[in-house]
Amino acid sequence: MITISKTKQLTLIQAITDGMRTMLEEKEEVVVLGEDVGKNGGVFRATDGLQEEFGEKRVFDTPLSEAGIIGSSIGMAMNGLLPVAEIQFLGFIYPAYEQIMTHATRMRYRTKGSFTVPLVIRAPYGAGVRAPEIHSDSMEALFTHMPGIKVVCPSNPYDAKGLLISAIEDPDPVLFLEPLRLYRAVRGEVPEEKYEIEIGKGKYLREGDDATVIAWGAMVPVAMKAAEQAADKGISCDVIDLRTLYPIDKAIIAESVKKTGRCVVVHEAPATGGLGNDIISIVNDTSFLYMKSPIERVTGADVHVPFWALEEHNIPTPARVTDAIYKVIHF
Amino acid sequence: MQEEFPMIQIMDQNGKITDTSYIDQIDKSLVQQFYRQLICMRAFDQKAINLQRQGRLGTYPGFEGQEAAQVGSALALEEDDWMLPTYRDHAASITFGKSYNILSSWNGRVEGNLPPKGKNILPPSVPIATQLPIAAGIAMANKYKNSSQAVIAYFGDGATSEGDFHEGLNFASVFQAPVVFFNQNNQYAISTPIWKQMHSETIAQKSIAYEIPGIRIDGNDIFAAYFETKKALERARNGEGPSLIEAVTWRYGAHTTADDPTKYRNQKEENEKRRQNDPVTRLERFMKAYGFWDEKLAEQIKGEIKEEIDGAVKVLETMPPANVNDIYDYMFEKPTWTLEQQKEEYINHLRGER
């Protein structure tokens, strides 16, 4: 039987709101908390209307305190609730880093599963919106390096709703990174009902034979644009949206790279210690003998996100990515 | 501020009851329960230190001198309440959990972190003050669920300098969460004395900022620890929100078995404090003064305790070897492929396979 679901045209941020609404409706244990998430609907309006719909008990403002938000959410998660905590910008999460590292991620481990922390932390991340300093950080590798937390990062409205629902359903802590540059950049068809996208699975956005381009979040449209430009020159690329940063989809990387023999990884985070290195390592483990050229990385420099007068110089552009594609082709 | 937060004492250093408002609640059964648990915890602490000296236990943080604060407050809890201890609060968790399981955690065994069946006891918090926002969150969930469970979180004087102390108290205050913040002001954060830790005179006064009840009790007076914690827990259960208790006490020994307190404390002064203000001796003085003392029973209890602690050590020392699988199997509900691969590779390595 074919089920035709009703869909809505939503932006990425509206899809996130819809994901939270779906879960608030379904489970009384779900609570949404953070600075300004109530009446104001969040600084980006991700929680717009949710307090009005579900009441202050379910959707509530907290004091301005990242460690307090995450610490109290850990406690709530351990005691039967399913908190979805908003950190206004990923760059503001540092005061809560200790709570995540010392408690959220290790509670199951240090109690052999006696206590668990089914917590979702939502955080907008990334540069390109001319925000003040700190607001544009893209430090996902701080969390993929952290044992005990899953990290997901959608790049479109459909994935955003499905991945957020999966994150809330996940019995372990999940960091849900929201590319703020894409919040309202595109609209897409999003089913009205509940659906899940498996955490840990990447997706082909484009298929080709000459090179594999791997990206996530805000870099996905950059990678796609570069692949289009390369196609104009007769080079066809696989473009993979990783969608989950921990655990990475090893299979899709291996499959694509074995086919193309060439690989470009794109991320806006600093190069050193960045997730690109893990991807290179996966290629090394799975497809080394298929490679026709060394893997190229197109990343931010090892600098903090520059003040916005210069930030565009640090974010990978389609032109930088096409350069890298030509480099792996013409090695 | 010391005048506004006077030290609450029910029994003085000579064992004399100075506040008679609880007198009708002090009966033989309560006193014997106090006495048994106090000397039991003292014996446990001494045994653990001896085991460490003999190389039979890892680094261990002793709590000698703090028994009354921990035992008194822990006995005030209801069975299904939540407890968040620190790494120095084994007396509280053993008293509440009625289990010596925690001992094995000091031998590097994760099993020691598992709560006794049916008990909401978190593993000891090693980072300082980070358990306080979590305690607030657990209490917020209790309030959300209309549960009658209360929460107690332990922390030391040094913890009050951490941001998480303030964040935890603020969240609990804003959300009127049913939690008791139980501070043991044992005067030293490793070697840093309280007067170098903070400029304020008391820890209890920090409650003013959060507009929650704050009291200062004599932490070596088990009656004060018990009755005042009970009151704070009742307030929590009645929907009256959180409170802060500062139990003024003294850590006799080192920060841990790896520390040497003679470097930073005057030992003569220590011995004199101990002679005057030891929590166990004080209860004995009380028992002798008020007709609760029974020499024969005391001997009998000591014998039973020795047996009990020897039994706990035997359990520790006859545990099967730690299971290598435990390294990998509890990170997530279902292991990720990275963990599966890493586990397989290591197990194969152990088997001598390539």
Side-chain angles (χ1 to χ4, degrees), chain A residues 28 57-58 65 72 79 99 103 108-110 112 172 246 248 250, chain B residues 113 124 130 138 142 144-145 164 167 327 333 336-338 341:
Chain A
E28 206 188 338
K57 193 182 168 191
R58 308 283 310 281
S65 158
S72 62
N79 193 11
Q99 282 291 344
H103 291 292
R108 180 189 288 280
Y109 189 68
R110 66 205 287 257
K112 291 181 80 167
D172 289 306
Y246 186 89
I248 289 183
K250 179 171 74 164
Chain B
N113 275 351
T130 51
I138 292 171
N142 281 337
Y144 185 95
K145 296 188 287 187
D164 281 33
E167 288 168 298
I327 293 177
E333 190 183 65
T336 57
W337 68 262
T338 59
Q341 182 182 308

PDB file of all heavy atoms in Angstrom, chain A residues 28 57-58 65 72 79 99 103 108-110 112 172 246 248 250, chain B residues 113 124 130 138 142 144-145 164 167 327 333 336-338 341:
ATOM      1  N   GLU A  28       4.353  13.607  26.620  1.00  0.00           N
ATOM      2  CA  GLU A  28       4.253  14.585  27.702  1.00  0.00           C
ATOM      3  C   GLU A  28       5.609  14.833  28.365  1.00  0.00           C
ATOM      4  O   GLU A  28       5.806  15.846  29.025  1.00  0.00           O
ATOM      5  CB  GLU A  28       3.258  14.059  28.731  1.00  0.00           C
ATOM      6  CG  GLU A  28       2.594  15.134  29.534  1.00  0.00           C
ATOM      7  CD  GLU A  28       1.760  14.562  30.661  1.00  0.00           C
ATOM      8  OE1 GLU A  28       1.364  13.376  30.560  1.00  0.00           O
ATOM      9  OE2 GLU A  28       1.515  15.277  31.628  1.00  0.00           O
ATOM     10  N   LYS A  57       4.594  25.186  31.277  1.00  0.00           N
ATOM     11  CA  LYS A  57       5.182  24.016  31.934  1.00  0.00           C
ATOM     12  C   LYS A  57       6.026  23.219  30.946  1.00  0.00           C
ATOM     13  O   LYS A  57       7.024  22.601  31.313  1.00  0.00           O
ATOM     14  CB  LYS A  57       4.049  23.149  32.501  1.00  0.00           C
ATOM     15  CG  LYS A  57       4.524  22.079  33.461  1.00  0.00           C
ATOM     16  CD  LYS A  57       3.374  21.221  33.967  1.00  0.00           C
ATOM     17  CE  LYS A  57       3.931  20.001  34.688  1.00  0.00           C
ATOM     18  NZ  LYS A  57       2.903  19.012  34.983  1.00  0.00           N
ATOM     19  N   ARG A  58       5.615  23.228  29.683  1.00  0.00           N
ATOM     20  CA  ARG A  58       6.293  22.411  28.677  1.00  0.00           C
ATOM     21  C   ARG A  58       7.389  23.178  27.928  1.00  0.00           C
ATOM     22  O   ARG A  58       8.372  22.586  27.481  1.00  0.00           O
ATOM     23  CB  ARG A  58       5.273  21.898  27.632  1.00  0.00           C
ATOM     24  CG  ARG A  58       4.036  21.200  28.188  1.00  0.00           C
ATOM     25  CD  ARG A  58       4.308  19.795  28.648  1.00  0.00           C
ATOM     26  NE  ARG A  58       5.010  18.952  27.691  1.00  0.00           N
ATOM     27  CZ  ARG A  58       4.445  18.353  26.642  1.00  0.00           C
ATOM     28  NH1 ARG A  58       3.154  18.514  26.407  1.00  0.00           N
ATOM     29  NH2 ARG A  58       5.164  17.591  25.845  1.00  0.00           N
ATOM     30  N   SER A  65      22.130  31.188  31.384  1.00  0.00           N
ATOM     31  CA  SER A  65      23.156  30.365  32.011  1.00  0.00           C
ATOM     32  C   SER A  65      23.263  29.047  31.264  1.00  0.00           C
ATOM     33  O   SER A  65      22.435  28.165  31.433  1.00  0.00           O
ATOM     34  CB  SER A  65      22.759  30.115  33.469  1.00  0.00           C
ATOM     35  OG  SER A  65      23.391  28.978  33.979  1.00  0.00           O
ATOM     36  N   SER A  72      20.748  21.414  34.339  1.00  0.00           N
ATOM     37  CA  SER A  72      19.390  21.087  34.787  1.00  0.00           C
ATOM     38  C   SER A  72      18.722  20.136  33.796  1.00  0.00           C
ATOM     39  O   SER A  72      17.954  19.258  34.193  1.00  0.00           O
ATOM     40  CB  SER A  72      18.552  22.350  35.000  1.00  0.00           C
ATOM     41  OG  SER A  72      18.405  23.051  33.797  1.00  0.00           O
ATOM     42  N   ASN A  79      15.743  11.967  35.154  1.00  0.00           N
ATOM     43  CA  ASN A  79      14.564  11.746  36.001  1.00  0.00           C
ATOM     44  C   ASN A  79      13.279  11.705  35.176  1.00  0.00           C
ATOM     45  O   ASN A  79      12.245  12.206  35.585  1.00  0.00           O
ATOM     46  CB  ASN A  79      14.509  12.846  37.078  1.00  0.00           C
ATOM     47  CG  ASN A  79      13.516  12.528  38.184  1.00  0.00           C
ATOM     48  OD1 ASN A  79      12.994  11.406  38.284  1.00  0.00           O
ATOM     49  ND2 ASN A  79      13.248  13.508  39.023  1.00  0.00           N
ATOM     50  N   GLN A  99      29.588  20.544  31.667  1.00  0.00           N
ATOM     51  CA  GLN A  99      28.422  19.724  31.988  1.00  0.00           C
ATOM     52  C   GLN A  99      28.246  18.593  30.979  1.00  0.00           C
ATOM     53  O   GLN A  99      27.917  17.465  31.335  1.00  0.00           O
ATOM     54  CB  GLN A  99      27.152  20.599  31.993  1.00  0.00           C
ATOM     55  CG  GLN A  99      26.983  21.445  33.241  1.00  0.00           C
ATOM     56  CD  GLN A  99      26.679  20.616  34.478  1.00  0.00           C
ATOM     57  OE1 GLN A  99      26.303  19.447  34.393  1.00  0.00           O
ATOM     58  NE2 GLN A  99      26.852  21.207  35.634  1.00  0.00           N
ATOM     59  N   HIS A 103      29.306  15.057  32.610  1.00  0.00           N
ATOM     60  CA  HIS A 103      28.104  14.369  33.105  1.00  0.00           C
ATOM     61  C   HIS A 103      27.234  13.791  31.982  1.00  0.00           C
ATOM     62  O   HIS A 103      26.954  12.605  31.988  1.00  0.00           O
ATOM     63  CB  HIS A 103      27.268  15.296  33.984  1.00  0.00           C
ATOM     64  CG  HIS A 103      27.934  15.613  35.286  1.00  0.00           C
ATOM     65  ND1 HIS A 103      28.139  14.671  36.270  1.00  0.00           N
ATOM     66  CD2 HIS A 103      28.481  16.760  35.759  1.00  0.00           C
ATOM     67  CE1 HIS A 103      28.764  15.223  37.296  1.00  0.00           C
ATOM     68  NE2 HIS A 103      28.992  16.492  37.010  1.00  0.00           N
ATOM     69  N   ARG A 108      25.773   7.307  31.460  1.00  0.00           N
ATOM     70  CA  ARG A 108      25.486   5.903  31.143  1.00  0.00           C
ATOM     71  C   ARG A 108      26.732   5.040  31.359  1.00  0.00           C
ATOM     72  O   ARG A 108      26.669   3.975  31.967  1.00  0.00           O
ATOM     73  CB  ARG A 108      25.008   5.765  29.694  1.00  0.00           C
ATOM     74  CG  ARG A 108      24.686   4.332  29.303  1.00  0.00           C
ATOM     75  CD  ARG A 108      24.423   4.176  27.816  1.00  0.00           C
ATOM     76  NE  ARG A 108      23.160   4.730  27.370  1.00  0.00           N
ATOM     77  CZ  ARG A 108      21.974   4.132  27.497  1.00  0.00           C
ATOM     78  NH1 ARG A 108      21.895   2.940  28.040  1.00  0.00           N
ATOM     79  NH2 ARG A 108      20.881   4.711  27.057  1.00  0.00           N
ATOM     80  N   TYR A 109      27.860   5.557  30.876  1.00  0.00           N
ATOM     81  CA  TYR A 109      29.125   4.804  30.929  1.00  0.00           C
ATOM     82  C   TYR A 109      29.527   4.514  32.373  1.00  0.00           C
ATOM     83  O   TYR A 109      29.870   3.399  32.716  1.00  0.00           O
ATOM     84  CB  TYR A 109      30.198   5.641  30.242  1.00  0.00           C
ATOM     85  CG  TYR A 109      31.516   4.936  30.008  1.00  0.00           C
ATOM     86  CD1 TYR A 109      31.609   3.894  29.097  1.00  0.00           C
ATOM     87  CD2 TYR A 109      32.667   5.327  30.677  1.00  0.00           C
ATOM     88  CE1 TYR A 109      32.810   3.258  28.860  1.00  0.00           C
ATOM     89  CE2 TYR A 109      33.880   4.697  30.446  1.00  0.00           C
ATOM     90  CZ  TYR A 109      33.950   3.665  29.529  1.00  0.00           C
ATOM     91  OH  TYR A 109      35.142   3.036  29.292  1.00  0.00           O
ATOM     92  N   ARG A 110      29.452   5.557  33.210  1.00  0.00           N
ATOM     93  CA  ARG A 110      29.963   5.395  34.577  1.00  0.00           C
ATOM     94  C   ARG A 110      28.973   4.701  35.491  1.00  0.00           C
ATOM     95  O   ARG A 110      29.282   4.464  36.660  1.00  0.00           O
ATOM     96  CB  ARG A 110      30.394   6.753  35.134  1.00  0.00           C
ATOM     97  CG  ARG A 110      29.287   7.740  35.353  1.00  0.00           C
ATOM     98  CD  ARG A 110      29.826   9.160  35.311  1.00  0.00           C
ATOM     99  NE  ARG A 110      30.601   9.491  36.500  1.00  0.00           N
ATOM    100  CZ  ARG A 110      30.142  10.252  37.497  1.00  0.00           C
ATOM    101  NH1 ARG A 110      28.943  10.761  37.450  1.00  0.00           N
ATOM    102  NH2 ARG A 110      30.891  10.513  38.535  1.00  0.00           N
ATOM    103  N   LYS A 112      27.070   1.973  34.114  1.00  0.00           N
ATOM    104  CA  LYS A 112      26.702   0.778  33.328  1.00  0.00           C
ATOM    105  C   LYS A 112      25.220   0.800  32.956  1.00  0.00           C
ATOM    106  O   LYS A 112      24.522  -0.202  33.068  1.00  0.00           O
ATOM    107  CB  LYS A 112      27.054  -0.497  34.097  1.00  0.00           C
ATOM    108  CG  LYS A 112      28.552  -0.713  34.235  1.00  0.00           C
ATOM    109  CD  LYS A 112      28.883  -1.984  34.960  1.00  0.00           C
ATOM    110  CE  LYS A 112      28.789  -3.209  34.074  1.00  0.00           C
ATOM    111  NZ  LYS A 112      29.398  -4.399  34.696  1.00  0.00           N
ATOM    112  N   ASP A 172      20.178   8.527  24.053  1.00  0.00           N
ATOM    113  CA  ASP A 172      21.459   9.108  24.479  1.00  0.00           C
ATOM    114  C   ASP A 172      21.519  10.594  24.121  1.00  0.00           C
ATOM    115  O   ASP A 172      20.699  11.075  23.352  1.00  0.00           O
ATOM    116  CB  ASP A 172      22.602   8.336  23.797  1.00  0.00           C
ATOM    117  CG  ASP A 172      22.743   6.935  24.372  1.00  0.00           C
ATOM    118  OD1 ASP A 172      22.880   6.829  25.593  1.00  0.00           O
ATOM    119  OD2 ASP A 172      22.660   5.960  23.600  1.00  0.00           O
ATOM    120  N   TYR A 246      28.727  12.423  14.174  1.00  0.00           N
ATOM    121  CA  TYR A 246      29.129  11.265  14.970  1.00  0.00           C
ATOM    122  C   TYR A 246      27.896  10.436  15.239  1.00  0.00           C
ATOM    123  O   TYR A 246      26.948  10.978  15.823  1.00  0.00           O
ATOM    124  CB  TYR A 246      29.813  11.648  16.292  1.00  0.00           C
ATOM    125  CG  TYR A 246      30.317  10.383  16.972  1.00  0.00           C
ATOM    126  CD1 TYR A 246      31.585   9.900  16.692  1.00  0.00           C
ATOM    127  CD2 TYR A 246      29.484   9.648  17.820  1.00  0.00           C
ATOM    128  CE1 TYR A 246      32.020   8.697  17.254  1.00  0.00           C
ATOM    129  CE2 TYR A 246      29.911   8.456  18.368  1.00  0.00           C
ATOM    130  CZ  TYR A 246      31.174   7.978  18.090  1.00  0.00           C
ATOM    131  OH  TYR A 246      31.599   6.791  18.633  1.00  0.00           O
ATOM    132  N   ILE A 248      29.857   8.907  12.009  1.00  0.00           N
ATOM    133  CA  ILE A 248      29.882   9.198  10.568  1.00  0.00           C
ATOM    134  C   ILE A 248      29.455   7.946   9.793  1.00  0.00           C
ATOM    135  O   ILE A 248      29.731   6.819  10.212  1.00  0.00           O
ATOM    136  CB  ILE A 248      31.315   9.597  10.131  1.00  0.00           C
ATOM    137  CG1 ILE A 248      31.668  10.975  10.676  1.00  0.00           C
ATOM    138  CG2 ILE A 248      31.449   9.609   8.615  1.00  0.00           C
ATOM    139  CD1 ILE A 248      33.020  11.480  10.240  1.00  0.00           C
ATOM    140  N   LYS A 250      30.278   5.593   7.564  1.00  0.00           N
ATOM    141  CA  LYS A 250      31.488   5.046   6.922  1.00  0.00           C
ATOM    142  C   LYS A 250      31.145   4.411   5.572  1.00  0.00           C
ATOM    143  O   LYS A 250      31.875   4.578   4.584  1.00  0.00           O
ATOM    144  CB  LYS A 250      32.106   3.993   7.851  1.00  0.00           C
ATOM    145  CG  LYS A 250      33.349   3.345   7.294  1.00  0.00           C
ATOM    146  CD  LYS A 250      34.042   2.469   8.324  1.00  0.00           C
ATOM    147  CE  LYS A 250      33.324   1.168   8.581  1.00  0.00           C
ATOM    148  NZ  LYS A 250      34.176   0.169   9.270  1.00  0.00           N
TER     149      LYS A 250
ATOM    150  N   ASN B 113      29.935   2.480  41.106  1.00  0.00           N
ATOM    151  CA  ASN B 113      29.090   3.639  40.822  1.00  0.00           C
ATOM    152  C   ASN B 113      27.623   3.274  40.690  1.00  0.00           C
ATOM    153  O   ASN B 113      26.781   4.158  40.553  1.00  0.00           O
ATOM    154  CB  ASN B 113      29.526   4.292  39.502  1.00  0.00           C
ATOM    155  CG  ASN B 113      30.663   5.262  39.701  1.00  0.00           C
ATOM    156  OD1 ASN B 113      31.034   5.584  40.826  1.00  0.00           O
ATOM    157  ND2 ASN B 113      31.235   5.729  38.619  1.00  0.00           N
ATOM    158  N   PRO B 124      29.505   9.350  42.730  1.00  0.00           N
ATOM    159  CA  PRO B 124      30.121  10.551  43.302  1.00  0.00           C
ATOM    160  C   PRO B 124      30.549  11.531  42.217  1.00  0.00           C
ATOM    161  O   PRO B 124      31.138  11.128  41.219  1.00  0.00           O
ATOM    162  CB  PRO B 124      31.347  10.022  44.041  1.00  0.00           C
ATOM    163  CG  PRO B 124      31.279   8.546  43.999  1.00  0.00           C
ATOM    164  CD  PRO B 124      30.213   8.122  43.062  1.00  0.00           C
ATOM    165  N   THR B 130      29.580  20.720  39.801  1.00  0.00           N
ATOM    166  CA  THR B 130      28.796  20.472  38.588  1.00  0.00           C
ATOM    167  C   THR B 130      27.527  19.673  38.878  1.00  0.00           C
ATOM    168  O   THR B 130      26.608  19.662  38.069  1.00  0.00           O
ATOM    169  CB  THR B 130      29.622  19.706  37.543  1.00  0.00           C
ATOM    170  OG1 THR B 130      30.187  18.568  38.170  1.00  0.00           O
ATOM    171  CG2 THR B 130      30.715  20.558  36.960  1.00  0.00           C
ATOM    172  N   ILE B 138      16.938  17.516  38.405  1.00  0.00           N
ATOM    173  CA  ILE B 138      16.219  16.335  38.913  1.00  0.00           C
ATOM    174  C   ILE B 138      15.001  16.802  39.717  1.00  0.00           C
ATOM    175  O   ILE B 138      13.892  16.269  39.580  1.00  0.00           O
ATOM    176  CB  ILE B 138      17.154  15.449  39.771  1.00  0.00           C
ATOM    177  CG1 ILE B 138      18.231  14.817  38.890  1.00  0.00           C
ATOM    178  CG2 ILE B 138      16.363  14.372  40.517  1.00  0.00           C
ATOM    179  CD1 ILE B 138      19.325  14.090  39.655  1.00  0.00           C
ATOM    180  N   ASN B 142      10.928  16.349  39.253  1.00  0.00           N
ATOM    181  CA  ASN B 142      10.013  15.906  40.318  1.00  0.00           C
ATOM    182  C   ASN B 142       8.804  16.832  40.413  1.00  0.00           C
ATOM    183  O   ASN B 142       7.672  16.389  40.568  1.00  0.00           O
ATOM    184  CB  ASN B 142      10.732  15.859  41.672  1.00  0.00           C
ATOM    185  CG  ASN B 142      11.583  14.604  41.817  1.00  0.00           C
ATOM    186  OD1 ASN B 142      11.335  13.597  41.160  1.00  0.00           O
ATOM    187  ND2 ASN B 142      12.585  14.658  42.661  1.00  0.00           N
ATOM    188  N   TYR B 144       7.660  18.724  38.010  1.00  0.00           N
ATOM    189  CA  TYR B 144       6.898  18.526  36.763  1.00  0.00           C
ATOM    190  C   TYR B 144       5.954  17.330  36.908  1.00  0.00           C
ATOM    191  O   TYR B 144       4.822  17.356  36.447  1.00  0.00           O
ATOM    192  CB  TYR B 144       7.890  18.299  35.624  1.00  0.00           C
ATOM    193  CG  TYR B 144       7.287  18.195  34.236  1.00  0.00           C
ATOM    194  CD1 TYR B 144       7.205  19.310  33.414  1.00  0.00           C
ATOM    195  CD2 TYR B 144       6.833  16.976  33.736  1.00  0.00           C
ATOM    196  CE1 TYR B 144       6.682  19.230  32.128  1.00  0.00           C
ATOM    197  CE2 TYR B 144       6.304  16.880  32.461  1.00  0.00           C
ATOM    198  CZ  TYR B 144       6.223  18.003  31.660  1.00  0.00           C
ATOM    199  OH  TYR B 144       5.712  17.918  30.395  1.00  0.00           O
ATOM    200  N   LYS B 145       6.484  16.274  37.554  1.00  0.00           N
ATOM    201  CA  LYS B 145       5.700  15.031  37.664  1.00  0.00           C
ATOM    202  C   LYS B 145       4.815  14.998  38.913  1.00  0.00           C
ATOM    203  O   LYS B 145       4.223  13.965  39.225  1.00  0.00           O
ATOM    204  CB  LYS B 145       6.660  13.830  37.704  1.00  0.00           C
ATOM    205  CG  LYS B 145       7.473  13.664  36.431  1.00  0.00           C
ATOM    206  CD  LYS B 145       8.261  12.361  36.414  1.00  0.00           C
ATOM    207  CE  LYS B 145       9.435  12.385  37.350  1.00  0.00           C
ATOM    208  NZ  LYS B 145      10.306  11.202  37.234  1.00  0.00           N
ATOM    209  N   ASP B 164      29.073  26.878  38.759  1.00  0.00           N
ATOM    210  CA  ASP B 164      27.971  25.912  38.804  1.00  0.00           C
ATOM    211  C   ASP B 164      27.225  25.924  40.132  1.00  0.00           C
ATOM    212  O   ASP B 164      26.044  25.578  40.191  1.00  0.00           O
ATOM    213  CB  ASP B 164      28.483  24.489  38.508  1.00  0.00           C
ATOM    214  CG  ASP B 164      28.685  24.273  37.015  1.00  0.00           C
ATOM    215  OD1 ASP B 164      29.035  25.239  36.327  1.00  0.00           O
ATOM    216  OD2 ASP B 164      28.504  23.138  36.538  1.00  0.00           O
ATOM    217  N   GLU B 167      24.855  28.748  39.570  1.00  0.00           N
ATOM    218  CA  GLU B 167      23.875  28.397  38.543  1.00  0.00           C
ATOM    219  C   GLU B 167      22.869  27.376  39.071  1.00  0.00           C
ATOM    220  O   GLU B 167      21.675  27.470  38.816  1.00  0.00           O
ATOM    221  CB  GLU B 167      24.601  27.902  37.286  1.00  0.00           C
ATOM    222  CG  GLU B 167      25.277  29.079  36.594  1.00  0.00           C
ATOM    223  CD  GLU B 167      26.261  28.703  35.497  1.00  0.00           C
ATOM    224  OE1 GLU B 167      27.260  28.036  35.794  1.00  0.00           O
ATOM    225  OE2 GLU B 167      26.038  29.102  34.360  1.00  0.00           O
ATOM    226  N   ILE B 327      34.492  -1.694  28.761  1.00  0.00           N
ATOM    227  CA  ILE B 327      35.100  -0.475  28.203  1.00  0.00           C
ATOM    228  C   ILE B 327      34.194   0.095  27.111  1.00  0.00           C
ATOM    229  O   ILE B 327      34.025   1.301  27.006  1.00  0.00           O
ATOM    230  CB  ILE B 327      36.491  -0.779  27.596  1.00  0.00           C
ATOM    231  CG1 ILE B 327      37.480  -1.175  28.692  1.00  0.00           C
ATOM    232  CG2 ILE B 327      37.024   0.424  26.808  1.00  0.00           C
ATOM    233  CD1 ILE B 327      38.862  -1.551  28.149  1.00  0.00           C
ATOM    234  N   GLU B 333      23.311   3.387  24.243  1.00  0.00           N
ATOM    235  CA  GLU B 333      22.423   2.232  24.402  1.00  0.00           C
ATOM    236  C   GLU B 333      22.812   1.146  23.392  1.00  0.00           C
ATOM    237  O   GLU B 333      22.888  -0.021  23.730  1.00  0.00           O
ATOM    238  CB  GLU B 333      20.968   2.637  24.211  1.00  0.00           C
ATOM    239  CG  GLU B 333      20.036   1.507  24.619  1.00  0.00           C
ATOM    240  CD  GLU B 333      18.585   1.836  24.383  1.00  0.00           C
ATOM    241  OE1 GLU B 333      18.189   1.996  23.214  1.00  0.00           O
ATOM    242  OE2 GLU B 333      17.849   1.937  25.356  1.00  0.00           O
ATOM    243  N   THR B 336      28.069   2.408  18.645  1.00  0.00           N
ATOM    244  CA  THR B 336      28.266   2.914  17.284  1.00  0.00           C
ATOM    245  C   THR B 336      29.245   1.979  16.569  1.00  0.00           C
ATOM    246  O   THR B 336      29.938   1.181  17.210  1.00  0.00           O
ATOM    247  CB  THR B 336      28.853   4.322  17.331  1.00  0.00           C
ATOM    248  OG1 THR B 336      30.085   4.268  18.072  1.00  0.00           O
ATOM    249  CG2 THR B 336      27.909   5.297  18.015  1.00  0.00           C
ATOM    250  N   TRP B 337      29.338   2.135  15.243  1.00  0.00           N
ATOM    251  CA  TRP B 337      30.261   1.251  14.507  1.00  0.00           C
ATOM    252  C   TRP B 337      31.701   1.491  14.951  1.00  0.00           C
ATOM    253  O   TRP B 337      32.520   0.570  14.947  1.00  0.00           O
ATOM    254  CB  TRP B 337      30.112   1.407  12.994  1.00  0.00           C
ATOM    255  CG  TRP B 337      30.548   2.736  12.415  1.00  0.00           C
ATOM    256  CD1 TRP B 337      29.745   3.782  12.099  1.00  0.00           C
ATOM    257  CD2 TRP B 337      31.885   3.154  12.082  1.00  0.00           C
ATOM    258  NE1 TRP B 337      30.476   4.822  11.598  1.00  0.00           N
ATOM    259  CE2 TRP B 337      31.796   4.469  11.570  1.00  0.00           C
ATOM    260  CE3 TRP B 337      33.148   2.551  12.158  1.00  0.00           C
ATOM    261  CZ2 TRP B 337      32.922   5.196  11.145  1.00  0.00           C
ATOM    262  CZ3 TRP B 337      34.263   3.269  11.737  1.00  0.00           C
ATOM    263  CH2 TRP B 337      34.149   4.577  11.236  1.00  0.00           C
ATOM    264  N   THR B 338      32.003   2.703  15.329  1.00  0.00           N
ATOM    265  CA  THR B 338      33.377   2.982  15.770  1.00  0.00           C
ATOM    266  C   THR B 338      33.697   2.132  16.999  1.00  0.00           C
ATOM    267  O   THR B 338      34.759   1.517  17.084  1.00  0.00           O
ATOM    268  CB  THR B 338      33.551   4.470  16.114  1.00  0.00           C
ATOM    269  OG1 THR B 338      32.633   4.818  17.151  1.00  0.00           O
ATOM    270  CG2 THR B 338      33.328   5.364  14.928  1.00  0.00           C
ATOM    271  N   GLN B 341      33.938  -1.595  16.088  1.00  0.00           N
ATOM    272  CA  GLN B 341      35.205  -1.889  15.407  1.00  0.00           C
ATOM    273  C   GLN B 341      36.373  -1.859  16.392  1.00  0.00           C
ATOM    274  O   GLN B 341      37.229  -2.740  16.390  1.00  0.00           O
ATOM    275  CB  GLN B 341      35.405  -0.846  14.298  1.00  0.00           C
ATOM    276  CG  GLN B 341      36.661  -1.062  13.481  1.00  0.00           C
ATOM    277  CD  GLN B 341      36.802   0.046  12.425  1.00  0.00           C
ATOM    278  OE1 GLN B 341      35.883   0.314  11.656  1.00  0.00           O
ATOM    279  NE2 GLN B 341      37.947   0.683  12.396  1.00  0.00           N
TER     280      GLN B 341
END
